[in-house]
Amino acid sequence: MLPLLRSTKALKPQRCLAVSPKRFSHSISDHCDIVIVGGGPAGLALATALGSCRNIQASLRVVLVEASDLSKVKQWSLPEGYSNRVSSITNASRGFLQDIGAWPMVEVSRTGPVEEIQVWDGVSDARITFSASEMLPAQSTVELSRLTENLNLQRALLHRLSSLGAVELVDRVKVQSIIQENTEGSTWPLVHLSDGRVIRTRLLVGADGPNSPVRTYAGIKSYGWAYDTHAIVGTLYHAPRGPYSSPNTTAYQRFLPTGPIAFLPLSETASSLVWSTKPPLAAALKAVDPSVLAAMINAAFRLPEVSMRYLHSRIVEAQERGSPITLDELREEIAFRERSHAIDSHSAYSSLVVQQDTSGIPPEGADGLPPLVTSIQPGTIASFPLRFSHAESYIGEGAGARTVLVGDAAHTTHPLAGQGLNMGLADVRALADCISQAVSRGLDLGSYTALLPYSRNRYLENHKMLAAVDKLHKLYSTTAEPVVWARSVGLEVINELDTIKTALMMSAGSRTQTNAGQLSWGLAAKGVESVARSIGSARSFGEGIAGMASAGLQQLARQITNPRQ
Amino acid sequence: MRNLSSARSLLRAVWTRRALHSTAYRHTALDNSHVASSSSTVNPDEIAHFSRLSSLWWDERGEFGMLHKMNPVRTQFVQEKLVEMKYEDGHESFDEQRVLEGLNVLDVGCGGGLLSESLTRLGANTLGIDASLSNIAIASLHASSDPALSFSSNSLPHSNDTAISHKGKGKVTYEHTSVEELLARNGPNSFDVVCSMEVLEHVDNPRGFLHSCAALVKPGGHLFLSTIARTPLAYLLTIFTAEKLLRFVEPGTHTYSKYINPSELISFFHHYRAPSPSNTSTKSSTESTSQPWISRLVAGRPLRVEAETRGMIYVPWNGEWVLGPHNEPLTEACNYLFWVRKPLQ
Ligand SMILES: Cc1cc2nc3c(=O)[nH]c(=O)nc-3n(C[C@H](O)[C@H](O)[C@H](O)COP(=O)(O)OP(=O)(O)OC[C@H]3O[C@@H](n4cnc5c(N)ncnc54)[C@H](O)[C@@H]3O)c2cc1C
């Protein structure tokens, strides 16, 4: 933890008033208008948005401080393999990145368009499919989102920033402490850097990630809890889809009671994994041979839930005994399980014959499943603990005045809806607009009055999204019979309703048109009625849960479809 | 940080003057020679006292919260009107964002300096005056912490050795004086823009006050006012609800009988003839006074190029003030803004 003091003895109000001005200047090396702490995607996007805004460029001095080496990101060599940190950039986010001139600098050949999303319940097998081509008007985009390596995005932002030249980047320098000036009523933060400099700033932006030092300085509490879940990520390789299949542009997500496993397409032969699961299982999966993990991934999309539960326990047990399961042992288990479920070895649901010949007509149901993983890119397997958290406020006050939070510093979420970074980008857009507006009215942009529109714009939006994702996570992590039954009803009913599908689709922020929000909400509202009618005869307990399921999804839809333009 | 030190010397001046003329300060301008000689006698408690007051005044969620929220709308009105008139004057391509740049602006009744600071950030050279000594101290202290304002107290000559990096161009100065004294000292026609926001409803002699403000405006310059209309609605909102019921503002802040209706301001400037001030020497002073600021009324309303009133409406669910639509007298039944332009000849 950083020593974050909010006032200091060293800078207490001057007793002697006949001081020479120099007494101040030796400790403060720099004055600026905005200091952004954090050069992650949110911080860099904010710097770019501010730097490309004419009235800000002309009147403000902006500095970004990042602890790591940004030149490495900027000179990232576009290696053959893929980075394991990949985010799904929605159309709304992409539109914003386009507006600030960053998207054209993204290496687009390394990004993967998502044209369809298939989501299914691991227990009941109820499934929803959303596809852009089926749903969106012909003239609009066929993509729902684009999978982009975080590094690719950060690199593009850095290139855009250097062409703008409006923001000063200070990297390989940590913010060591932040102290409120506290002399003669001033509330300006003094930012102490690890290189010895002290910057006095009008506004301090925390884009400094989940453990945000700026949030700590501001004294803003963060509300939340750890999901007893870790996400395993990695880059997966597989054979290309054959001539009779659709290309690798479908994202698949199966909700297992231990957490969702997602397969996100990057190219014809590579995809990204995000497997959220219980920490002991995540630890075991990370420890096994990558070929074992690959076999587990294939099974996890295919085997019935009871068998997955069994395999999970086998793996964890073997891990605890100190003799990790071998590939042969695992294949034997899977073969036995497939036989007992009467899964034919040529069926799409069999994961044993990995070196399939993909040139022929694929087996029935193959389009409902991701391609079989053949290998995992070495060094890409990693895991992250998942947390729900939301700061109690985005704007600091009193002893923490002149501070504002964006991105993961303000909120963290479960990756099941792929919204974490997208929410951060929406924050950044709103904050940049808010600052530009404040400048055009001559406001002090560190003031509460100037920042309030940002918070008003984003706080509730983010909260609804966080709550909807949280509800979905909880809903799908149970195997209790009535809930599962209701879940299947909820999902299948939704699948029948084009109206809701459309709403959900535009959800993932997939439309960039400005009126998408209103349009889709109208549709979704109609959908709610239909759901209510069609489950009218359901058992009352189940009905409540089904209502929750659809309400959860709809709420999610509403969030994402209603981007603040 | 010469800004802070100049704020301090202003406070020194303020403090010494108060010690010397404890009650008689209200209507006397600061005199610089006195300041210079007294700068060593300074009471740290006094600085601490003003720092506290300043923090209270500038607490955006505190007692003056409504004023803080209102400020962006007042600035918007000033900017929009100046832009509109610049087009009206035949300028075709100019940067609307920079319409205030380089203008000499007087903010009468500047309080803690809210509007003065905003106009200065937008590039104006602003003089904020207030009859309250502690307001001037508050405003000075606050401005001194902001390098973008090039704050200089009137008691020190403004030097340009500020090694502070900021890209703003305006500068702000505060002075403890009244508009009448300023007029007597500086003479008429000295400012491009004169603003007096939320002041008129507090003055004892509004006609005299308006005369002085108007005289200080340069020909072709602008006068901006904001105040409260004398309507039952205004009573309900500003006195009954804000003071008595919710205590948003200190009870006794407002006096209903001092409220002034838009039509009264319009009528004032319809009949107003600037009296020839004694020191407008040379040219035909009679001529310069002949033209009324508002030449004619259409259905009781002035032409939009001569004067305009706009309502300011508080939207409670957004917690923000918005500018009422043009030409919608109903929205002017409570807080409203007024603009009038001084004729060129
Ligand atoms: C497994 C997983 C999958 C995800 N998938 C998706 C997805 O599909 N779609 C999506 O939208 N989001 C996704 N997310 C979320 C997304 O990765 C984050 O929301 C995003 O990275 C947050 O960016 P940020 O810039 O706010 O914070 P960060 O990326 O955490 O950046 C913070 C920066 O601040 C710097 N910093 C911190 N302290 C200091 C200091 N004292 N001094 C100087 N610098 C400092 C750090 O070095 C760091 O660079 C996923 C997250 C996880 C864990």
Side-chain angles (χ1 to χ4, degrees):
Chain A
M1 208 50 325
L2 296 166
L4 296 162
L5 311 174
R6 260 188 257 127
S7 65
T8 171
K9 303 223 164 65
L11 277 158
K12 70 185 168 198
Q14 303 293 320
R15 287 261 130 231
C16 159
L17 284 148
V19 282
S20 85
K22 296 212 169 59
R23 272 213 45 189
F24 277 91
S25 37
H26 86 267
S27 59
I28 298 167
S29 19
D30 231 340
H31 292 261
C32 71
D33 293 292
I34 303 177
V35 169
I36 302 169
V37 184
L44 290 175
L46 179 64
T48 311
L50 294 175
S52 50
C53 188
R54 204 173 52 95
N55 68 347
I56 293 174
Q57 222 177 50
S59 60
L60 302 183
R61 171 138 189 263
V62 185
V63 174
L64 181 145
V65 184
E66 163 59 43
S68 68
D69 186 351
L70 289 176
S71 64
K72 281 199 188 133
V73 180
K74 192 171 173 191
Q75 280 142 32
W76 184 51
S77 60
L78 308 172
E80 211 174 295
Y82 288 88
S83 152
N84 59 5
R85 290 305 301 271
V86 172
S87 298
S88 138
I89 303 291
T90 62
N91 291 342
S93 295
R94 185 146 54 98
F96 166 61
L97 293 167
Q98 189 78 44
D99 290 348
I100 62 173
W103 188 259
M105 311 234 171
V106 166
E107 189 56 47
V108 176
S109 63
R110 297 181 70 91
T111 64
V114 177
E115 293 172 4
E116 187 176 293
I117 300 176
Q118 297 207 20
V119 179
W120 70 103
D121 183 351
V123 182
S124 71
D125 273 341
R127 183 183 289 256
I128 339 175
T129 303
F130 341 21
S131 92
S133 57
E134 179 194 343
M135 297 299 170
L136 297 179
Q139 78 276 12
S140 67
T141 169
V142 296
E143 289 175 32
L144 293 167
S145 67
R146 211 161 242 274
L147 289 162
T148 310
E149 295 154 281
N150 288 4
L151 276 172
N152 192 359
L153 176 60
Q154 284 170 273
R155 172 180 170 274
L157 288 164
L158 284 167
H159 280 281
R160 173 67 178 150
L161 272 171
S162 36
S163 72
L164 287 167
V167 175
E168 197 181 315
L169 298 180
V170 179
D171 66 342
R172 286 176 298 161
V173 167
K174 270 190 88 151
V175 169
Q176 234 149 21
S177 63
I178 310 164
I179 292 159
Q180 190 169 54
E181 184 168 57
N182 220 8
T183 52
E184 300 181 352
S186 157
T187 55
W188 290 43
L190 303 177
V191 185
H192 293 246
L193 304 182
S194 56
D195 64 1
R197 277 196 286 167
V198 179
I199 308 182
R200 181 177 186 267
T201 185
R202 181 186 298 282
L203 174 64
L204 180 62
V205 182
D208 44 359
N211 299 317
S212 172
V214 172
R215 193 181 63 224
T216 310
Y217 162 73
I220 298 174
K221 289 202 192 75
S222 179
Y223 157 89
W225 54 81
Y227 285 120
D228 179 29
T229 303
H230 284 193
I232 304 174
V233 297
T235 305
L236 312 176
Y237 289 116
H238 46 79
R241 293 277 196 174
Y244 301 100
S245 309
S246 49
N248 189 35
T249 53
T250 302
Y252 297 90
Q253 179 153 262
R254 184 186 190 197
F255 279 89
L256 292 165
T258 41
I261 177 169
F263 183 99
L264 309 163
L266 285 167
S267 76
E268 266 311 293
T269 54
S271 297
S272 184
L273 168 79
V274 182
W275 188 351
S276 310
T277 192
K278 298 289 166 213
L281 185 55
L285 288 170
K286 242 176 77 175
V288 293
D289 188 84
S291 63
V292 174
L293 177 58
M296 277 300 283
I297 294 165
N298 289 334
F301 279 106
R302 290 169 176 81
L303 275 185
E305 197 270 328
V306 276
S307 291
M308 278 316 293
R309 224 184 303 164
Y310 172 77
L311 290 184
H312 286 164
S313 59
R314 273 284 278 125
I315 279 205
V316 172
E317 268 167 32
Q319 181 69 20
E320 279 165 1
R321 273 203 316 274
S323 55
I325 198 163
T326 64
L327 183 60
D328 285 342
E329 284 167 340
L330 181 64
R331 286 175 60 85
E332 215 169 286
E333 290 288 1
I334 293 174
F336 174 78
R337 292 271 141 192
E338 286 184 357
R339 273 198 305 279
S340 63
H341 291 295
I343 297 171
D344 184 85
S345 65
H346 297 293
S347 115
Y349 285 88
S350 169
S351 54
L352 287 173
V353 191
V354 169
Q355 291 304 353
Q356 285 168 319
D357 175 13
T358 56
S359 60
I361 296 187
E364 172 142 2
D367 271 351
L369 293 166
L372 286 161
V373 177
T374 51
S375 66
I376 300 178
Q377 185 185 314
T380 61
I381 300 166
S383 80
F384 303 89
L386 301 181
R387 272 188 71 78
F388 172 100
S389 65
H390 200 189
E392 286 182 354
S393 159
Y394 293 171
I395 310 173
E397 288 181 73
R402 298 183 175 276
T403 51
V404 65
L405 306 176
V406 292
D408 277 22
H411 42 71
T412 58
T413 177
H414 195 293
L416 70 86
Q419 289 303 311
L421 180 58
N422 290 300
M423 284 197 286
L425 291 175
D427 293 350
V428 161
R429 169 182 235 167
L431 181 59
D433 282 352
C434 172
I435 290 174
S436 162
Q437 185 64 24
V439 168
S440 71
R441 291 280 170 250
L443 295 182
D444 175 351
L445 57 92
S447 68
Y448 185 84
T449 310
L451 296 170
L452 190 61
Y454 160 64
S455 165
R456 206 162 47 215
N457 206 324
R458 293 302 306 157
Y459 195 89
L460 218 55
E461 285 303 305
N462 285 338
H463 201 79
K464 285 188 285 181
M465 170 70 77
L466 293 168
V469 169
D470 184 51
K471 211 179 273 173
L472 283 178
H473 163 74
K474 293 197 167 122
L475 191 63
Y476 285 98
S477 48
T478 176
T479 46
E481 187 82 0
V483 181
V484 171
W485 170 82
R487 222 154 64 185
S488 71
V489 173
L491 283 183
E492 270 165 358
V493 166
I494 288 168
N495 201 30
E496 296 313 309
L497 294 170
D498 275 358
T499 48
I500 289 194
K501 273 208 268 186
T502 313
L504 272 170
M505 298 245 329
M506 285 185 276
S507 88
S510 50
R511 273 216 178 165
T512 49
Q513 286 97 323
T514 47
N515 59 354
Q518 276 154 357
L519 171 68
S520 60
W521 182 235
L523 291 171
K526 248 168 66 195
V528 180
E529 282 170 37
S530 322
V531 172
R533 263 202 309 280
S534 45
I535 58 175
S537 57
R539 283 175 290 172
S540 60
F541 177 66
E543 188 177 338
I545 302 289
M548 225 170 100
S550 53
L553 285 170
Q554 280 161 23
Q555 208 177 340
L556 191 60
R558 194 177 170 187
Q559 299 334 315
I560 332 180
T561 51
N562 207 355
R564 307 295 302 238
Q565 274 78 32
Chain B
M1 292 292 302
R2 60 166 301 284
N3 279 344
L4 271 176
S5 74
S6 65
R8 259 182 241 117
S9 35
L10 180 90
L11 280 177
R12 268 178 228 129
V14 156
W15 184 78
T16 3
R17 286 198 65 83
R18 221 168 72 170
L20 292 173
H21 323 270
S22 53
T23 51
Y25 66 85
R26 234 191 94 108
H27 285 289
T28 32
L30 287 171
D31 99 14
N32 295 346
S33 58
H34 190 109
V35 168
S37 65
S38 64
S39 56
S40 55
T41 57
V42 66
N43 180 345
D45 292 342
E46 200 71 11
I47 305 271
H49 170 70
F50 283 120
S51 299
R52 259 193 315 276
L53 280 185
S54 178
S55 327
L56 282 179
W57 203 95
W58 281 92
D59 176 4
E60 296 164 79
R61 309 255 264 158
E63 202 182 319
F64 295 94
M66 275 295 180
L67 217 50
H68 284 267
K69 286 179 178 169
M70 196 184 256
N71 190 48
V73 184
R74 308 190 298 198
T75 314
Q76 182 191 350
F77 182 66
V78 173
Q79 284 175 300
E80 287 181 0
K81 210 61 221 186
L82 293 180
V83 165
E84 187 185 334
M85 294 325 290
K86 203 156 172 175
Y87 282 119
E88 193 63 37
D89 291 349
H91 295 267
E92 264 160 20
S93 60
F94 60 95
D95 188 345
E96 295 186 5
Q97 293 253 321
R98 299 171 62 175
V99 72
L100 271 148
E101 248 170 53
L103 297 187
N104 283 320
V105 175
L106 173 67
D107 181 9
V108 180
C110 61
L114 255 178
L115 181 71
S116 294
E117 286 196 4
S118 291
L119 299 178
T120 306
R121 277 193 201 93
L122 292 167
N125 292 316
T126 312
L127 171 63
I129 63 171
D130 205 292
S132 148
L133 189 59
S134 90
N135 278 350
I136 292 298
I138 289 168
S140 305
L141 261 181
H142 193 266
S144 70
S145 72
D146 189 339
L149 298 171
S150 305
F151 168 76
S152 69
S153 79
N154 215 32
S155 53
L156 282 183
H158 187 69
S159 68
N160 42 15
D161 65 354
T162 12
I164 291 159
S165 56
H166 71 87
K167 304 179 187 167
K169 297 145 218 94
K171 81 177 215 242
V172 71
T173 313
Y174 293 111
E175 202 182 321
H176 173 223
T177 186
S178 68
V179 68
E180 294 80 9
E181 285 164 3
L182 191 73
L183 178 60
R185 198 179 72 208
N186 286 24
N189 305 340
S190 22
F191 293 92
D192 299 301
V193 173
V194 173
C195 301
S196 181
M197 304 297 199
E198 266 65 52
V199 174
L200 201 51
E201 67 271 24
H202 300 286
V203 302
D204 291 330
N205 174 6
R207 299 186 77 80
F209 177 81
L210 288 175
H211 270 281
S212 304
C213 289
L216 283 162
V217 180
K218 286 183 190 169
H222 309 258
L223 174 63
F224 290 91
L225 303 167
S226 77
T227 188
I228 306 176
R230 200 170 61 258
T231 62
L233 177 68
Y235 176 81
L236 183 75
L237 293 179
T238 61
I239 297 179
F240 183 74
T241 312
E243 290 185 14
K244 301 197 167 155
L245 204 62
L246 301 177
R247 309 245 156 170
F248 274 163
V249 289
E250 187 85 357
T253 302
H254 294 117
T255 314
Y256 183 64
S257 60
K258 287 189 173 180
Y259 288 3
I260 292 171
N261 286 331
S263 59
E264 292 165 323
L265 278 180
I266 292 167
S267 157
F268 179 91
F269 284 99
H270 188 36
H271 298 111
Y272 176 75
R273 302 286 189 282
S276 59
S278 49
N279 53 351
T280 32
S281 48
T282 50
K283 282 216 279 180
S284 49
S285 52
T286 42
E287 229 175 340
S288 74
T289 62
S290 60
Q291 196 174 337
W293 289 28
I294 296 175
S295 62
R296 64 199 172 94
L297 300 178
V298 180
R301 310 281 288 180
L303 303 176
R304 216 171 116 176
V305 294
E306 291 185 346
E308 191 177 7
T309 49
R310 298 273 297 268
M312 270 192 289
I313 305 151
Y314 186 64
V315 186
W317 50 90
N318 278 349
E320 84 186 356
W321 288 85
V322 296
L323 208 50
H326 289 283
N327 232 333
E328 202 58 77
L330 271 181
T331 63
E332 296 157 15
C334 191
N335 294 80
Y336 68 96
L337 290 147
F338 173 81
W339 161 84
V340 67
R341 191 172 191 189
K342 188 171 195 162
L344 268 172
Q345 338 78 11

